[in-house]
Amino acid sequence: MDDNRRSLYLAALGPDTAGDLPFAQLVLALEDLAPAEVRADLAELGFEPNEPLDRSALRTVLQAETSKAPAKPVISVRPPPPFEPLSPLIPTLRYRPPADGERARLLSGHVTPADRWAVREEAEHYTLKGGFDQLLALEYAAIDAKEYQLRAVRRVLAEMHGNAILADEVGLGKTVEAGLIIKEYHLREMIRSCLILTPAPLVDQWVEEMQDKFGLKFHRLGDEVDISQYQLIVGSIDRAKGAYRKALIDRTWDMVVVDECHMLKNHRTGRFKFVFNLNRKHCLLLSATPVQNELRELYNLITVARPGHLKGPRQFQKLFMEDRRHARNVEHLRALLNEVMIRNRRSNTLTELPPRRITHHEIQLTPSEHEFHDAVVRFCKRIYTKYVEGEIILHSIDGKAVVSKVVLVLMILLKEMTSSPRAVAHTLRGAMAERIGQLDGGDGQELARLLALSETMDIPSKARKLLQLITADPSKIIVYTEFVATLEFLRDFLADHGIDAVLFHGGLSGTQKRSAVERFRDGTAQVLLSTESGGQGLNLQFCHRLVNYDLPWNPMRIEQRIGRIHRYGQERPVEIYTLFLRGTIEEYILHVLTGKIDMFQTVIGEIDAMLSFMHEQQSLDVRITDIILHSNNFDQIRAQMELLGEEMRKANEDLTEAEKTSAAMLDSVLG
């Protein structure tokens, strides 16, 4: 490097002697040099151009080079005549870090404003990496992706061009794979619109996971009549093929994703015909059991994912079907399937996890707690009967089932009554007071009586049991509840007994969440009080004890809680404690989850697959609310919950049988 160029660099460093200097800021200061020249110079001096530069170290190296350079004769030069500086033609350029998606836009060749040229340089650097070897989505996804998942994502992107069937066995994270594919395409601006179709019980889970794990805000189908303004939509397949059919089919979708795609196995059904007729550029189908009865079902799914790949049905039958369940020309069929299907197996992807130790603690209600519980139920039934007129389900814009806003508030109250009186009081003062104020002021007195009762309740028996669990063992413990008001009550209660606890919930900022986890990790706080909200992608394997302080009515929530600590990296047996109030809805739910489907020992990911096999495609939260509000006494509630449990047990059996059948047929073909 000659003296003139070295002087340019020293001048660009400025008077500051310490601190980092971003590469882009250095390039801006060296306006006579191209970015590529600056990269070459820094590499020659031993600096990595893609990282912030140590200003002091760079100055030292430049000055050392100056001292080693041979002296040159000084030539006197007449100074130039003075001149008045011209006003700048454009505002002063300021560097800022690239926003989400800017690298992808630049990769596509879009013209970029002058103040973003540094982002373009970085995007061109990514281009040199080639293809999809480097996944941009990993920078933005709040997940811990496994290597087999990354291999699957790269194959779908690079080899299958976004048209594939993800047929991993239950529990291997097909949703993570699909989310990474969607996010990667979205970042690179290869897609703008995406339609995700699922069984009705899984819609909320998809909306939450796409937001929490991948930063993509999807609109829930059915919330509004006009969906033309939304590019990202999640909806149940039955709602989609109803009144929204024309609106969805008239559009061209950059990507269509169908979860639990075995719903499409029969080409004569309305579901199959609707999805097949969607205009789409890319198509992802997800199912652990893509074929359940005969090979023709496999043909139907592949025809949706990649029409024409297996030619016509008669040709497929002639070439590849020995009979309904046995294939011929297996090598040829295997080669064709490998071009469109990926199937990972637990046997060669998962490592053995430590065992789970399950303990259920039954808690007897005190007389005052019993009175409070019954008062909440009576109040909810009174409001329901008066304002919803005996119908929990209202007709929506598309003729499908929609729960009224009043019922949603009642659902929350019924859950909160087994969580904490403080949570009940919070909802009574807020959402319920607003609803009653709009409907009939005469119910205000009943609300006031219940609110007064909730505010005079003693410390709940459940909280006292929790205190015993915590004080019996000084090791870290996570306590889960669905409600922030309960979290705050427990924090205050534990603090009164000298126990440090930190809160973690969706209402906290990113900095607050990281601080809470760090305090829990380093032992500053023994207890992490958490809701499920905001915890997607959270790894807490350093803790092996978990308490379900209250029971979600959706078993997938329980599965998510357990998955925070019972995952790769966990070295100790996981202890799971569930606190439930005898004679309440919690007891009946626990009976269903343990007696019917062995919930606490299931493979992570199995619950959502099981729910797709239930004939009643409706949220479990709504169904349980329906049972409580339509029953005259607790004996009727118990009987109805028993029927619901039997339905879930049958769905679980159907899933198990489908897994065996599908595995046998796929293994015979895929090897």
Side-chain angles (χ1 to χ4, degrees):
M1 180 184 296
D2 59 36
D3 285 346
N4 289 336
R5 180 168 291 196
R6 191 176 295 108
S7 299
L8 290 175
Y9 276 91
L10 288 170
L13 290 176
D16 295 336
T17 59
D20 289 340
L21 176 67
F23 170 72
Q25 185 175 330
L26 178 62
V27 174
L28 284 173
L30 296 168
E31 56 186 15
D32 293 333
L33 300 180
E37 293 179 282
V38 179
R39 289 182 189 277
D41 289 343
L42 291 174
E44 179 184 341
L45 295 173
F47 289 86
E48 175 57 48
N50 293 323
E51 298 177 356
L53 303 166
D54 187 315
R55 193 187 298 266
S56 177
L58 180 55
R59 184 188 302 278
T60 300
V61 172
L62 289 169
Q63 290 173 343
E65 291 290 324
T66 302
S67 64
K68 291 189 296 183
K72 294 184 179 181
V74 178
I75 302 174
S76 63
V77 178
R78 180 188 302 175
F83 65 94
E84 294 295 328
L86 297 175
S87 58
L89 297 178
I90 59 176
T92 302
L93 301 183
R94 294 181 180 273
Y95 173 77
R96 62 167 179 76
D100 187 359
E102 287 180 326
R103 294 187 183 94
R105 287 196 292 274
L106 297 170
L107 283 170
S108 66
H110 289 199
V111 176
T112 306
D115 64 341
R116 300 187 186 180
W117 67 269
V119 183
R120 187 182 189 91
E121 284 289 307
E122 193 169 352
E124 290 174 353
H125 172 69
Y126 279 114
T127 304
L128 298 177
K129 297 292 183 182
F132 293 101
D133 290 342
Q134 180 165 330
L135 297 176
L136 305 182
L138 293 177
E139 290 187 44
Y140 304 97
I143 58 169
D144 181 20
K146 307 300 179 292
E147 186 55 40
Y148 70 84
Q149 294 173 320
L150 298 180
R151 286 197 300 269
V153 170
R154 291 188 179 104
R155 278 195 64 197
V156 172
L157 295 169
E159 301 174 20
M160 301 178 179
H161 309 293
N163 296 287
I165 299 176
L166 300 177
D168 295 355
E169 290 183 348
V170 168
L172 296 188
K174 293 181 291 295
T175 305
V176 168
E177 295 168 358
L180 280 173
I181 293 166
I182 296 169
K183 183 68 173 181
E184 189 71 22
Y185 272 145
H186 199 263
L187 282 172
R188 295 175 184 261
E189 286 200 348
M190 298 174 71
I191 67 169
R192 291 184 180 275
S193 60
C194 179
L195 174 65
I196 300 176
L197 300 172
T198 81
L202 307 185
V203 171
D204 289 343
Q205 179 188 359
W206 269 94
V207 171
E208 291 171 9
E209 292 204 6
M210 295 307 293
Q211 173 70 55
D212 294 341
K213 291 183 177 179
F214 302 101
L216 295 172
K217 185 173 180 59
F218 275 74
H219 172 75
R220 186 182 288 98
L221 190 66
D223 288 349
E224 298 181 29
V225 179
D226 183 9
I227 59 171
S228 60
Q229 61 180 307
Y230 298 107
Q231 296 293 323
L232 305 176
I233 296 177
V234 176
S236 74
I237 189 169
D238 291 329
R239 172 164 287 174
K241 71 181 180 65
Y244 286 96
R245 177 186 180 87
K246 186 176 187 307
L248 295 173
I249 285 182
D250 285 349
R251 294 175 62 173
T252 296
W253 296 93
D254 294 330
M255 174 164 282
V256 171
V257 179
V258 183
D259 190 19
E260 305 299 342
C261 67
H262 46 262
M263 300 183 295
L264 310 178
K265 63 185 180 181
N266 187 342
H267 63 286
R268 295 185 178 90
T269 63
R271 290 172 173 174
F272 176 92
K273 293 174 182 177
F274 166 69
V275 174
F276 186 77
N277 287 319
L278 287 171
N279 298 309
R280 58 199 183 277
K281 297 177 183 177
H282 305 286
C283 183
L284 285 180
L285 304 182
L286 285 63
S287 176
T289 57
V291 53
Q292 298 173 11
N293 299 299
E294 56 181 274
L295 287 172
R296 172 60 194 266
E297 297 170 354
L298 189 60
Y299 169 84
N300 292 337
L301 294 182
I302 291 175
T303 299
V304 172
R306 191 178 296 182
H309 185 66
L310 297 178
K311 300 187 177 181
R314 292 182 180 177
Q315 292 167 295
F316 176 78
Q317 182 174 355
K318 181 178 180 180
L319 285 173
F320 300 118
M321 290 180 62
E322 188 72 43
D323 55 38
R324 292 175 62 246
R325 294 195 175 191
H326 298 89
R328 61 161 64 106
N329 296 325
V330 173
E331 293 297 325
H332 185 194
L333 179 57
R334 179 179 301 157
L336 289 172
L337 293 185
N338 282 331
E339 294 176 4
V340 71
M341 177 181 288
I342 296 175
R343 181 170 175 81
N344 291 306
R345 297 172 174 83
R346 285 195 292 269
S347 59
N348 53 25
T349 54
L350 293 181
T351 56
E352 190 71 23
L353 292 176
R356 297 178 184 177
R357 295 174 179 169
I358 311 299
T359 306
H360 303 312
H361 291 280
E362 176 184 299
I363 299 168
Q364 192 73 38
L365 293 171
T366 66
S368 60
E369 288 172 340
H370 205 291
E371 177 188 356
F372 176 70
H373 174 272
D374 291 353
V376 173
V377 173
R378 287 195 303 271
F379 176 79
C380 291
K381 291 175 71 71
R382 168 194 173 102
I383 299 299
Y384 169 68
T385 303
K386 185 170 184 178
Y387 295 113
V388 193
E389 298 179 350
E391 293 294 334
I392 192 169
I393 301 300
L394 305 180
H395 288 297
S396 72
I397 52 179
D398 60 348
K400 295 295 181 181
V402 172
V403 182
S404 76
K405 292 182 178 179
V406 173
V407 172
L408 289 175
V409 178
L410 297 179
M411 184 189 303
I412 292 171
L413 279 173
L414 291 171
K415 292 179 180 181
E416 289 173 332
M417 70 183 179
T418 56
S419 182
S420 72
R422 185 182 294 190
V424 172
H426 179 269
T427 299
L428 289 175
R429 280 193 299 266
M432 182 52 71
E434 293 176 8
R435 297 289 181 271
I436 287 184
Q438 296 172 1
L439 298 171
D440 185 347
D443 292 306
Q445 293 180 351
E446 185 66 25
L447 184 148
R449 281 194 292 270
L450 185 57
L451 182 58
L453 180 61
S454 65
E455 291 177 337
T456 57
M457 291 293 293
D458 195 7
I459 300 298
S461 301
K462 188 184 282 190
R464 299 184 188 278
K465 182 62 181 179
L466 175 66
L467 181 63
Q468 292 177 14
L469 287 175
I470 294 173
T471 55
D473 185 340
S475 61
K476 296 181 179 68
I477 189 167
I478 303 169
V479 180
Y480 273 110
T481 174
E482 289 199 279
F483 306 104
V484 174
T486 301
L487 289 185
E488 294 172 343
F489 158 72
L490 290 175
R491 177 196 58 197
D492 298 342
F493 171 68
L494 294 176
D496 290 342
H497 290 80
I499 297 173
D500 289 326
V502 290
L503 302 188
F504 187 101
H505 56 81
L508 301 178
S509 67
T511 300
Q512 291 172 319
K513 290 177 183 177
R514 288 189 293 272
S515 175
V517 173
E518 194 54 41
R519 288 187 60 201
F520 183 52
R521 186 194 306 271
D522 65 20
T524 305
Q526 180 192 357
V527 183
L528 178 71
L529 300 169
S530 178
T531 64
E532 297 88 3
S533 177
Q536 296 290 353
L538 186 62
N539 299 323
L540 299 170
Q541 305 96 309
F542 56 86
C543 176
H544 70 284
R545 303 172 69 215
L546 179 152
V547 177
N548 290 305
Y549 187 78
D550 49 34
L551 272 177
W553 293 1
N554 186 335
M556 287 187 291
R557 303 287 191 195
I558 301 175
E559 184 181 63
Q560 290 168 0
R561 291 176 174 182
I562 297 172
R564 297 283 183 266
I565 63 173
H566 197 232
R567 61 195 306 161
Y568 310 108
Q570 179 58 260
E571 299 177 351
R572 303 181 62 178
V574 171
E575 299 175 13
I576 301 169
Y577 307 94
T578 299
L579 311 182
F580 71 96
L581 297 175
R582 180 171 177 79
T584 70
I585 191 64
E586 282 189 329
E587 180 182 4
Y588 309 142
I589 291 174
L590 189 63
H591 168 67
V592 169
L593 296 181
T594 57
K596 302 296 182 181
I597 61 175
D598 196 15
M599 164 74 215
F600 292 92
Q601 295 292 355
T602 58
V603 175
I604 296 296
E606 190 168 336
I607 293 300
D608 49 353
M610 181 208 71
L611 293 177
S612 72
F613 278 79
M614 294 184 69
H615 296 297
E616 181 64 46
Q617 289 292 294
Q618 194 178 75
S619 163
L620 287 177
D621 298 62
V622 173
R623 294 189 66 182
I624 293 173
T625 303
D626 191 16
I627 288 172
I628 296 174
L629 295 180
H630 277 107
S631 299
N632 294 323
N633 52 55
F634 283 101
D635 287 337
Q636 289 186 7
I637 292 176
R638 183 183 294 106
Q640 290 299 312
M641 288 297 294
E642 184 70 23
L643 293 176
L644 177 61
E646 280 299 307
E647 185 181 342
M648 294 176 70
R649 184 192 59 78
K650 179 63 166 59
N652 199 38
E653 289 181 352
D654 292 345
L655 169 62
T656 302
E657 183 61 32
E659 282 187 289
K660 293 178 181 177
T661 304
S662 188
M665 282 194 276
L666 288 177
D667 289 349
S668 68
V669 176
L670 296 176

